[in-house]
Amino acid sequence: MLRYISKRLFYMLMSLFLIVTATFFLMRAAPGGPFSSEKQIPPEIEKNLNEYYGLDRPWYVQYFDYLVSIAKWDFGPSFKYKGQTVNDLINEGFPVSFFLGMESLLIAVSIGVLLGIIAALNHNKWQDYAAMVFAVLGISVPSFIMASILQYFLAIKLGWFPVARWESLQHTVLPALALAAMPTAFIARLTRSSMLEVLGNDYIRTAKAKGLSQGQITVKHAIRNAILPVVTYLGPLSAQILTGSFVIEKIFGIPGLGSHFVLSITNRDYTTIMGVTVFYSILLLLSVLLVDIAYGFIDPRIKLAGGKKGE
């Protein structure tokens, strides 16, 4: 296990190096500059700003300085937020996005797995059709459309929840539901397909022949083996959902990391764009690593070193 984690950490560092490099040069290739705007500033002021932030240095010097700052976990100052660094923005916005993401992830996993199990156990019955209709709608409807529908019916028409803002636990319900809609549908389809495959295996028929109840077979044998595709999906999903949906946070006026990212794009705040991108990449890589490690605990037949079963 330790050797496997060390190997994966090395690959993660190499991947992160490539991501940082690509992000840096893509920002340099983007048209305009961090101080470009509709209202032109005097050339003297722009020159002083470029000198203050080190943008007048050769590209290789800026690149090396950026690598060093990333290694020190310093994403640099924000070009648009006065007196704030990118680290300040991440520290301020990520806890909000993390709370919203955890709530959405809990909803997606619990409801999605439950719907998939119900659909598989009632294959080709009305429960199966109802669950799959919900899954198709959840995947087909974009999150910003789902957010608008929830706001209109549950907030404006029925008055059950606030329309927007981030002030209490009640304010988190609608954005969490909107953010969890598509993952819930996808997890339901994954669980159903995997459960149907597992329920057709010989050891399930053997368990039935031994007189085990449907509940015992489902809990002790089927779910544990059928959950692996869902765990695989949870890796990238966790990184995506824990950082928050950029669109959802904008619609509901949530001061999370996604909101800062959207504003940084419109404001040409290049350091914030690069910092949030690198931070998101680190979360994604760590999530994938944790998922791979979780395989060994869910199914002991999986060998992390070789990635094979039954050896």
Side-chain angles (χ1 to χ4, degrees):
M1 174 70 76
L2 184 60
R3 183 173 59 181
Y4 173 80
I5 294 176
S6 301
K7 184 177 179 181
R8 287 302 303 270
L9 287 176
F10 173 75
Y11 289 141
M12 285 173 56
L13 290 175
M14 293 300 297
S15 301
L16 186 61
F17 171 76
L18 295 176
I19 291 171
V20 171
T21 301
T23 305
F24 177 84
F25 286 105
L26 284 175
M27 287 296 98
R28 284 187 59 87
F35 307 114
S36 302
S37 61
E38 296 180 358
K39 183 179 179 181
Q40 294 295 328
I41 61 176
E44 296 80 7
I45 296 179
E46 184 174 358
K47 180 181 178 181
N48 292 334
L49 288 173
N50 288 330
E51 182 179 355
Y52 177 78
Y53 288 107
L55 300 176
D56 59 338
R57 300 174 184 174
W59 66 267
Y60 51 85
V61 176
Q62 296 183 46
Y63 175 63
F64 179 77
D65 291 342
Y66 189 65
L67 290 179
V68 172
S69 64
I70 292 295
K72 296 179 179 178
W73 197 251
D74 180 11
F75 295 112
S78 171
F79 290 151
K80 298 298 181 179
Y81 290 90
K82 301 295 183 181
Q84 285 188 295
T85 65
V86 179
N87 293 69
D88 294 333
L89 298 178
I90 292 176
N91 294 335
E92 174 187 319
F94 179 65
V96 176
S97 297
F98 181 82
F99 182 85
L100 176 62
M102 285 298 296
E103 187 176 353
S104 304
L105 192 63
L106 180 62
I107 293 173
V109 173
S110 56
I111 297 180
V113 170
L114 180 61
L115 285 177
I117 293 173
I118 292 175
L121 294 178
N122 298 277
H123 186 47
N124 288 333
K125 296 181 180 179
W126 70 268
Q127 296 95 330
D128 184 17
Y129 299 141
M132 288 306 99
V133 167
F134 172 81
V136 170
L137 289 176
I139 294 175
S140 303
V141 179
S143 59
F144 63 91
I145 298 294
M146 181 63 69
S148 301
I149 293 174
L150 292 175
Q151 283 179 324
Y152 180 75
F153 286 103
L154 298 185
I156 297 176
K157 286 294 184 181
L158 299 177
W160 290 353
F161 303 101
V163 177
R165 303 294 294 275
W166 186 263
E167 298 176 356
S168 65
L169 186 62
Q170 195 176 18
H171 286 79
T172 68
V173 176
L174 292 187
L177 290 175
L179 190 57
M182 187 174 69
T184 301
F186 198 81
I187 289 174
R189 289 173 63 91
L190 274 179
T191 305
R192 175 184 179 272
S193 301
S194 185
M195 279 287 293
L196 288 176
E197 182 180 353
V198 169
L199 290 174
N201 288 335
D202 292 338
Y203 65 88
I204 297 295
R205 287 191 286 269
T206 302
K208 291 180 180 179
K210 289 182 177 179
L212 295 179
S213 65
Q214 184 65 54
Q216 290 176 315
I217 295 173
T218 302
V219 174
K220 292 184 178 181
H221 301 284
I223 293 180
R224 185 172 183 177
N225 293 285
I227 206 71
L228 284 176
V230 177
V231 174
T232 304
Y233 176 59
L234 288 181
L237 173 64
S238 299
Q240 174 188 352
I241 208 169
L242 291 180
T243 52
S245 169
F246 303 152
V247 178
I248 294 298
E249 290 186 7
K250 194 67 177 175
I251 291 175
F252 287 95
I254 299 174
L257 193 60
S259 178
H260 290 317
F261 187 78
V262 173
L263 290 176
S264 67
I265 294 176
T266 57
N267 292 332
R268 298 175 181 264
D269 194 349
Y270 291 166
T271 51
T272 302
I273 297 173
M274 292 190 294
V276 174
T277 302
V278 172
F279 182 73
Y280 175 84
S281 302
I282 293 172
L283 286 180
L284 177 60
L285 294 171
L286 287 176
S287 299
V288 173
L289 175 62
L290 291 176
V291 166
D292 288 344
I293 295 174
Y295 281 160
F297 295 98
I298 296 175
D299 191 345
R301 295 172 300 171
I302 296 178
K303 301 296 183 181
L304 292 178
K308 297 179 182 180
K309 291 184 178 182
E311 294 184 359

